[in-house]
RNA sequence: GGUGCCAUCGCCAAGUGGUAAGGCCGCAGCCUGCAAAGCUGCUAUCCCCAGUUCAAAUCUGGGUGGCACCUCCA
């Protein structure tokens, strides 16, 4: 298994801290709004990573946090005249439901900031005690970046007096411009916790370090976890700050491997909140099957930026369709999970830093080869067994082909239209039997007008949504 | 301005020294009552220039053009 380490900027062979085990911590969403395609991409990438690690025999512990303390949440609650918890519960539930539709497996641990306050206090206190953090006169606690000689080693940024971190966490009481808040004394009373440092709430960066220590850190290892992941934008300042906190507040570094997934753009435009063109997952899921979105978002290497557009999505769907058509072709045959050479090749491709492109090429070649043989006379008993096993393997490893093939092809068609189509197909079959091709072609035109295509097979006439 | 990434067929996209995967689209054909699906065949020398090498899409230098982060952000 090879992983591109975005800190060392090189592909490294994966060697876990404990043989046979792998721990992965990924920065999850801040639950103040609906998840967008970027959240989906990140969740999908690490879902795939977990599957590939498991397929390689690792006993994986996967944590993905929920940030439920944040200024944006407070703002939203005020706007909607709701409690903080109403907001965070709503968006957490929505996130979970949408991830399920994408076929993203639930993480083993899903820590929340609000449930980790003791761990956060403990870490802040340790940092204060060791002089890596200091309280200001107005009640904030800052991490002293000048106390950490390795600060900025992660992002390899050059310390800049003009650093923009100045702007946001702009307390004139900070010692250094780059210092970031571990604890923010509350000024407006909207969301506050009683801590040893007074009333207030934790800063964003500290929760991840604290939760990693609480839930998964190996006390005596060189690193707290094997892999830490998240979106490319998190490298700085979020991960840089996490790394500093853990380095200074514990006896180990944060992670051995760092993975950062690329951004999702939409039609070439940055999907940023300030531009207001965020493409919400919930909207995409109304139009496309979750598995189509899964396939599309995973079809490009995770490190690259991803340009979401309908044309590419459509091309991607056609590729997924082929998996389902083969599945349909083998419908009704007994399941089988005997290993095949194809499966070893597929796993090898994915084990190379999740090379999905090569994996998809292998899948397409397998499908073509199988169809080719199936097109020739004969029972092909062994080939069918292998193909079924391969499809099952693809389903488990990549999450493609998990649904009933007929339902997949009928996604988004309502019951009334389905009934109409079935009726027209029955009429057409009658006309065909009577060799009245003029009538049957006319009926087919009517069926096509429903937005579907049909195909005559020895097993009967089937239809698919176009 | 600082740091970093990228540039491969009409489109998407692998490939990091050994002579260009795969998919979509298109064209021709097989199959089909006709279609659809499936199958077969056809379609690139890798942004430009210079260099290193027996050998470069892959390494080096320069250029041009995109992009990301540096601010809450996956």
């Amino acid at each position: 298994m090879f992983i591109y380490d975005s800190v060392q900027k090189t592909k490294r062979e994966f060697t876990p801290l404990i043989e046979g085990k792998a721990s992965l911590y990924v920065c999850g969403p801040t639950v103040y709004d609906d998840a967008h395609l970027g959240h989906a991409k990140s969740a999908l990438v690490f879902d795939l990573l977990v599957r590939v690690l498991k397929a390689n025999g690792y006993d994986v512990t996967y944590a993905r946090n929920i940030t439920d303390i944040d200024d944006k949440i407070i703002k939203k609650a005020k706007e909607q005249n709701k409690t903080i918890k109403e907001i965070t519960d709503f968006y957490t539930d929505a996130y979970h439901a949408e991830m399920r539709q994408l076929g993203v497996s639930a993480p083993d641990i899903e820590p929340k900031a609000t449930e980790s306050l003791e761990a956060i206090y403990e870490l802040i206190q340790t940092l204060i005690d060791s002089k890596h953090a200091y309280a200001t006169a107005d009640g904030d606690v800052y991490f002293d970046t000048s106390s950490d000689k390795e600060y900025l080693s992660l992002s390899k940024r050059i310390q800049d007096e003009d650093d923009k971190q100045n702007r946001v966490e702009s307390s004139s009481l900070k010692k250094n411009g780059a210092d970031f808040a571990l604890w923010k004394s509350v000024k407006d009373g909207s969301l506050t916790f009683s801590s040893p440092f007074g009333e207030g709430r934790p800063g964003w960066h500290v929760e991840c370090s604290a939760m990693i220590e609480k839930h998964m850190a190996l006390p005596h290892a060189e690193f707290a976890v094997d892999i830490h992941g998240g979106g490319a934008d998190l490298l700085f300042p979020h991960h840089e700050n996490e790394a500093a906190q853990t380095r200074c507040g514990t006896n180990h570094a944060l992670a051995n491997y760092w993975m950062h997934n690329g951004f999702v753009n939409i039609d070439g435009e940055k999907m940023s909140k300030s531009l207001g063109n965020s493409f919400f997952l919930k909207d995409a899921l109304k139009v496309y099957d979750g598995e189509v979105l899964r396939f599309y978002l995973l079809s490009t290497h995770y490190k690259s930026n991803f340009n979401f557009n309908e044309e590419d999505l459509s091309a991607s769907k056609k590729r997924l369709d082929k998996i389902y058509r083969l599945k349909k072709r083998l419908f009704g045959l007994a399941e089988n999970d005997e290993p095949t050479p194809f499966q070893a090749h597929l796993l090898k491709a994915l084990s190379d830093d999740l090379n999905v492109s090569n994996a998809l090429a292998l899948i397409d070649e397998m499908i073509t080869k199988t169809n080719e043989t199936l097109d020739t006379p004969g029972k092909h008993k062994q080939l069918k067994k292998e193909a079924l096993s391969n499809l099952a393997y693809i389903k488990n490893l990549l999450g493609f082909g998990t649904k009933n093939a007929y339902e997949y092809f009928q996604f988004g068609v309502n019951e009334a239209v389905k009934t109409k189509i079935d009726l027209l197909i029955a009429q057409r079959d009658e006309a065909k039997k009577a060799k009245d091709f003029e009538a049957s072609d006319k009926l087919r035109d009517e069926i096509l007008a429903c937005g579907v295509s049909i195909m005559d097979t020895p097993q009967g006439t089937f239809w698919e949504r176009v």
Side-chain angles (χ1 to χ4, degrees):
Chain A
M1 178 98 202
F2 287 85
I3 287 173
Y4 181 85
D5 182 345
S6 44
V7 168
Q8 294 191 15
K9 297 190 191 303
T10 180
K11 205 189 274 184
R12 300 168 56 202
E13 179 155 20
F14 179 66
T15 309
L17 297 166
I18 297 178
E19 198 179 339
K21 297 198 174 195
S23 55
L24 167 66
Y25 182 95
V26 174
C27 291
T30 300
V31 281
Y32 71 101
D33 204 352
D34 287 302
H36 52 63
L37 293 169
H39 292 109
K41 169 93 183 170
S42 178
L44 284 164
V45 164
F46 293 106
D47 178 56
L48 178 60
L49 177 67
V50 169
R51 289 170 189 247
V52 173
L53 283 167
K54 285 181 178 170
N56 275 292
Y58 293 107
D59 177 12
V60 181
T61 302
Y62 173 33
R64 187 188 59 209
N65 73 296
I66 296 279
T67 296
D68 59 355
I69 301 174
D70 183 90
D71 290 353
K72 291 186 291 293
I73 298 171
I74 296 165
K75 187 169 169 241
K76 191 96 171 192
K78 273 185 191 156
E79 281 169 8
Q80 303 196 350
N81 199 25
K82 287 182 177 151
T83 65
I84 302 290
K85 193 160 187 327
E86 280 172 332
I87 296 292
T88 57
D89 281 353
F90 178 81
Y91 288 113
T92 301
D93 290 347
Y95 181 75
H96 286 155
E98 287 157 11
M99 289 306 122
R100 266 198 300 280
Q101 286 191 70
L102 291 175
V104 172
S105 305
D108 302 302
I109 305 168
E110 191 171 56
K112 295 180 179 177
T114 51
E115 294 168 0
S116 311
L117 290 164
E118 288 306 320
I120 291 170
Y121 299 159
E122 200 179 310
L123 179 58
I124 295 175
Q125 191 60 56
T126 304
L127 289 167
I128 292 173
D129 292 346
S130 59
K131 303 278 191 275
H132 286 294
Y134 57 91
T136 58
D138 55 3
D140 294 342
V141 178
Y142 284 93
F143 183 87
D144 183 353
T145 51
S146 68
S147 77
D148 174 20
K149 60 181 187 302
E150 290 180 59
Y151 190 68
L152 300 182
S153 62
L154 203 73
S155 57
K156 298 179 180 61
R157 194 165 294 279
I158 291 158
Q159 188 76 54
D160 184 354
E161 279 311 303
D162 202 35
D163 203 297
K164 304 295 201 305
Q165 244 179 126
N166 256 325
R167 242 195 264 157
V168 184
E169 319 207 5
S170 58
S171 168
S172 54
L173 301 171
K174 287 201 292 187
K175 284 187 190 170
N176 311 291
D179 292 356
F180 54 90
L182 297 171
W183 188 260
K184 299 177 180 179
S185 68
V186 119
K187 279 118 187 161
D188 56 11
S190 49
L191 175 63
T192 180
F193 304 95
S194 299
S195 80
F197 330 105
E199 286 291 311
R201 57 178 174 268
W204 174 39
H205 312 300
V206 74
E207 69 177 57
C208 291
S209 290
M211 293 190 290
I212 286 172
E213 287 308 309
K214 177 182 173 185
H215 292 285
M216 52 202 316
L218 300 165
H220 304 298
E222 190 182 351
F223 301 96
V225 293
D226 288 301
I227 306 167
H228 188 171
D233 55 324
L234 297 180
L235 179 58
F236 186 86
H238 188 51
H239 288 166
E240 184 73 69
N241 294 348
E242 286 178 14
Q245 291 159 170
T246 298
R247 185 164 51 232
C248 296
T250 74
N251 56 359
H252 47 217
L254 186 46
N256 194 183
Y257 300 83
W258 293 81
M259 292 174 77
H260 291 95
N261 64 276
F263 261 47
V264 178
N265 295 336
I266 294 174
D267 289 329
E269 286 228 43
K270 188 187 165 177
M271 182 177 63
S272 78
K273 276 148 210 160
S274 54
L275 288 175
N277 68 339
S278 293
F279 197 139
F280 290 119
L281 229 196
K282 64 173 181 180
D283 295 324
L285 284 167
K286 283 176 198 155
V287 190
Y288 307 105
D289 186 297
E291 200 172 300
V292 171
L293 288 169
R294 177 187 181 90
F295 190 100
Y296 177 45
L297 287 167
L298 281 176
S299 65
T300 298
H301 190 86
Y302 73 89
K303 282 204 304 289
S304 311
N305 285 340
F306 190 94
N307 186 34
F308 190 100
N309 66 79
E310 305 249 344
E311 294 73 45
D312 294 346
L313 191 154
S314 161
S316 218
K317 179 185 180 298
K318 285 175 183 168
R319 219 171 171 177
L320 214 211
D321 287 352
K322 298 203 295 188
I323 292 177
Y324 275 103
R325 291 215 181 88
L326 179 59
K327 191 172 174 171
K328 216 158 75 166
R329 211 170 169 176
L330 300 168
F331 190 76
L333 297 175
E335 295 202 359
N336 177 42
D337 59 1
E338 280 174 39
T340 65
F342 162 80
Q343 293 162 24
H345 295 152
L346 190 70
L347 181 57
K348 194 179 173 201
L350 289 170
S351 298
D352 181 16
D353 195 36
L354 306 182
N355 193 328
V356 179
S357 281
N358 279 338
L360 292 182
L362 288 168
I363 290 173
D364 279 316
E365 282 163 6
M366 185 277 290
I367 291 173
T368 298
K369 224 176 110 192
T370 305
N371 277 323
E372 185 184 2
T373 308
L374 254 28
D375 280 350
T376 63
K379 288 197 169 174
H380 310 300
K381 213 173 156 187
Q382 181 58 27
L383 179 92
K384 284 179 179 170
K385 268 181 79 172
E386 284 179 22
L388 283 163
S389 175
N390 290 341
L391 287 175
Y393 194 79
I394 292 165
K395 180 169 95 176
N396 290 330
L397 189 54
L398 283 152
F400 303 152
T402 64
K403 310 189 177 198
N404 173 291
Y406 296 95
E407 287 168 14
Y408 167 81
F409 282 118
Q410 299 179 359
F411 175 84
V413 181
N414 69 43
E415 289 307 317
V417 175
K418 280 183 189 173
T419 307
K420 182 182 170 190
I421 292 168
D422 288 341
L423 183 71
L424 290 169
I425 285 178
Q427 290 174 4
R428 177 168 168 275
D429 283 345
E430 288 302 313
K432 274 178 64 182
K433 263 184 208 157
K435 303 251 186 256
D436 183 356
F437 296 122
E438 198 180 322
S440 82
D441 287 351
K442 209 179 154 191
L443 283 159
R444 179 168 57 200
D445 288 341
E446 280 188 56
I447 298 167
L448 263 39
C450 296
V452 304
S453 67
I454 60 172
M455 43 209 62
D456 297 327
T457 76
Q459 288 78 39
T461 299
F462 298 112
W463 62 271
E464 296 178 358
R465 181 192 183 203
V466 178

